[in-house]
Amino acid sequence: MNKLSIPVRKFDAVIVGAGGSGLRAAIQLSEGGLKTAVLSKVFPTRSHTVAAQGGVSASLGNSEEDHWHWHMYDTVKGSDWLGDQDAIEYMCRKAPEVVVELEHFGMPFDRTDEGKIYQRPFGGHMSNFGEKPVRRACAAADRTGHAMLHALYQRNVRANTQFFVEWMALDLIRDDSGQVLGVIALEMETGEVVAFHSKATVFATGGAGRIFYSSTNAFINTGDGLGMAARAGLPLEDMEFWQFHPTGVAGAGVLITEGVRGEGGILRNSTNERFMERYAPNAKDLASRDVVSRAMVTEINEGRGCGPNKDFVLLDITHLDPATIMKRLPGIREISIQFAGIDPIKAPIPVVPTCHYQMGGVPTNYKGQVVNEDGSPVPGFYAAGEVACASVHGANRLGTNSLLDLLVFGKSSGDSVIEDLRSGNIGLKDLPANFAERTLARLDRLNTQTGGANVNETRLELQRTMQKHCGVFRFKDMLAEGVARIVDIEKAVARTEIKDKSQVWNTARVEALELDNLIEVAKATMVSANARKESRGAHVRDDAPDTPANPNGRDDINWHKHTLWYREGSRLSYKPVIMKPLTVDTIALKTRSY
Amino acid sequence: MATSIMQFKIYRYDPDKDQAPYMQDASVEVDFSLDRKLLDVLTRLKAKDDSLAYRRSCREGICGSDAMNINGKNGLACLTEIKDLKQPVVLRPLPGLPVIRDLIVDMTQFFKQYHSIRPYLVNEGPRPERERLQSPEDREELNGLYECILCACCSTSCPSFWWNPDKFVGPAGLLNAYRFIADTRDLATNERLDDLEDPYRLFRCHTIMNCVDVCPKGLNPTRAIGKIKEMMVRRAI
């Protein structure tokens, strides 16, 4: 494979990833008449968007009064004021439009008696600026992600989008001026390596939840976009913020939607107490995810966990009408029976907080353009969905805002590509002479490495280290030790060895290449977390406790800013949070409680 | 710790080095307190031999990647309980599609049939400002249809699809065809029925019902096919 040149294919735009955001961007570009290639490691409907369950938020007000401004307030508060308010306003205002559009594409939403889109309550969704829960999550039973991903794929079939299925992007092509000129990708079926030379490149590669040992994420969520961006010299933003979803099935890690609590489910400890009443007297079980996850871990740590090892709590829906469960939560019942051996109609489900979502990512603006530290766009480069950090989720994402994020920013990134091409801001520049060098060196090393580290064992060590040193609660000493451990693991990653050197469908090679991306994300996470000496949202550390001067351990004077991690030297930099929305007044900093 | 050795016979074929496919004997230590599903054990087998190739992603039965033939029956590895499996567990690729490598088949023909039924909502009328209304009862017609994960367990268990994969749409494609026919928002019912009124596309279904037997989501393509036939009869009289 160590060739001097590789085949080059030319496109107007290349989209990497065919989950929700990639497919939404592809609709814009295909229907806009651009010559577009969509690359995906898996057939599009196998992307991880498919596993989203509970809903997509939009202030449609189908069941009760709602307003995008309330949605915006909840999102800013949920983010613990780390979200950029221009992007949050943009997303919440656009929500009704993109959700209705999705309905027009054929999405089989559940319906109200009047025939409108069905909406359910969800964690942190409140009316009138935090007053009381509101029904804002638009749902297709508890299979919203599946229904959405298929509807988006179907719309792309209609638009004749050109897919490259089971192609893995390996590296970004970037010239000396910083402009992005496409990607180099591997066709898994043949082992062929090809350059996709394009005027515009859109990353929609999803998150990297597989850096943790216990994760709701699919095997494919290995942060490929983040690894590629980091190797190309771009920073990763706010990587210390990882969402632990309160309700993963104990032991299995499979997700149980927050929609279960939206439909009336209750969390209980070993004394059968509804403990969330103590932690969030107002929102109770529907407080924000970081708050609920910490409450659960506190219950377990204080000996009120359930089971022989007292290491989980119970999610109880036995008081709900079985007909409601069958109608609104059929998938959850299936999952509980399959992965916990429990029928939730009859018995509560054992659950633990499980790594679920990456709030950070490649820095973007609300137009879906990737931005430099000073806010200027990186020419030719766009990103949307979990890989991107717009930043709408800040330090903690609200449930259902992920599906909204990928619709809104998938669409806006597509529109930005069209706009930038039309205005002549970007065009097809020549590929630099050495554009494939790094990628071919990586592949060559894998083909020739002997006496190296085992990929599977190295990945497990990385995942266990992240789990132990960078979990729901973080500790000063453990973080510092974690940084050292990850640096050691990085050395092993640099000399991984695969036994299988074949060309056709070599999944060993794919897993080794994925590990190259996981390690970048793990490093960014650990170094950023170690440096942030406060508690905010999902990042909570023992040396930043709750005090009158710093409620909840949040230190706005020193730490109300975004982290930027650069691969080169594992360097950190910081940039201010955008507090000025597009049209409304700033939602001013205040103490967060539910 | 409840550990035990599990025995397997696995279909292996690497076009780079094998003249022909062969069945490989394999065994692996399984910890029943951690390993519940066949996919957990495949992960262990792959840790021992990194050349074993299979598709997988979500590991919870919603993405449809890890369909394979398990002890003679199609299913998803991630939803298959290991304690129920007779040993040696015989793993083969899905039948009826060309094998690329090991347990990975070429699904081109399967997706071609799916694409042939125009798997998207057809409604070219003016777009309303808000959502199109649909009653809860009309929406319920889509239950048992929209949940298809395109894993291909059904179509590759269907003898009619094996004989005519290029002409017979197959259970998955037909289930999806009916998903759009049944959708009150879709305006192409007649064209959809015209397209299927063909000795092969629809009428190769001989209600053998293997599809119903293997669907990991508990869906019933035969019933959907019956409904399509019923609509054809109804519009003819």
Side-chain angles (χ1 to χ4, degrees), chain A residues 273-293:
Chain A
E273 182 201 11
R274 184 181 189 179
F275 58 85
M276 280 313 300
E277 286 178 331
R278 274 188 281 122
Y279 296 89
N282 188 24
K284 300 190 178 92
D285 299 88
L286 287 177
S288 243
R289 288 180 178 171
D290 57 333
V291 174
V292 179
S293 283

Side-chain angles (χ1 to χ4, degrees), chain A residues 1 41 168-171 184-188 191-193 222-225 227-228 231 438-447 455 459 493 496-498 506-520:
Chain A
M1 204 179 290
K41 283 201 289 191
M168 180 185 181
L170 302 180
D171 276 300
I184 298 167
L186 167 79
E187 185 182 29
M188 282 146 80
E192 197 186 356
V193 178
T222 52
D224 299 344
M228 286 188 274
R231 282 192 296 275
R438 174 179 41 224
T439 315
L440 294 178
R442 283 172 67 202
L443 292 167
D444 192 45
R445 185 196 66 75
L446 272 178
N447 282 341
V455 173
R459 185 182 49 229
V493 174
T496 47
E497 181 187 354
I498 51 174
N506 186 330
T507 48
R509 179 177 292 133
V510 168
E511 288 186 24
L513 293 165
E514 287 174 336
L515 185 55
D516 288 350
N517 297 323
L518 286 168
I519 189 66
E520 300 300 340

Side-chain angles (χ1 to χ4, degrees), chain A residues 246-268:
Chain A
T247 56
V249 173
V254 177
L255 174 69
I256 300 283
T257 175
E258 192 166 286
V260 170
R261 282 170 282 138
E263 296 288 346
I266 289 170
L267 289 164
R268 298 188 187 282

Side-chain angles (χ1 to χ4, degrees), chain B residues 14-31:
Chain B
D14 176 354
D16 273 0
K17 61 180 184 30
D18 300 324
Q19 295 284 315
Y22 62 98
M23 295 302 289
Q24 179 190 48
D25 291 315
S27 63
V28 68
E29 191 175 23
V30 174
D31 179 348

Side-chain angles (χ1 to χ4, degrees), chain A residues 46 62 103-104 106-108 111 115 117 146 153-154 166 215 219 338 499-500 502-504 507, chain B residues 16 37 46 50 55 57 59 63 65 101 115 119 124 128 130-132 134 139 146 148 150 179 185:
Chain A
R46 319 222 186 281
N62 283 355
E103 193 281 329
H104 293 164
M107 168 97 173
R111 300 290 168 156
I117 294 171
H146 170 269
Y153 177 67
Q154 290 159 356
E166 293 168 338
S215 171
F219 280 98
Q338 277 281 352
K499 302 286 179 206
D500 182 4
S502 64
Q503 284 296 94
V504 176
T507 48
Chain B
D16 273 0
K37 305 294 185 185
K46 189 167 176 61
D50 70 4
R55 294 185 175 102
S57 184
R59 61 86 160 83
C63 79
S65 295
R101 176 177 176 172
H115 292 151
E124 303 303 326
R130 288 293 301 245
E131 68 263 51
R132 293 194 175 97
Q134 184 174 48
R139 165 60 183 79
Y146 84 95
C148 173
L150 299 175
R179 176 251 173 272
R185 300 169 298 171

Side-chain angles (χ1 to χ4, degrees), chain A residues 102-113:
Chain A
L102 189 67
E103 193 281 329
H104 293 164
F105 291 167
M107 168 97 173
F109 281 111
D110 284 6
R111 300 290 168 156
T112 65
D113 289 341

Side-chain angles (χ1 to χ4, degrees), chain A residues 158-173:
Chain A
R158 181 182 179 271
N160 262 318
T161 299
Q162 190 180 1
F163 287 103
F164 291 78
V165 174
E166 293 168 338
W167 283 71
M168 180 185 181
L170 302 180
D171 276 300
L172 201 57
I173 307 172

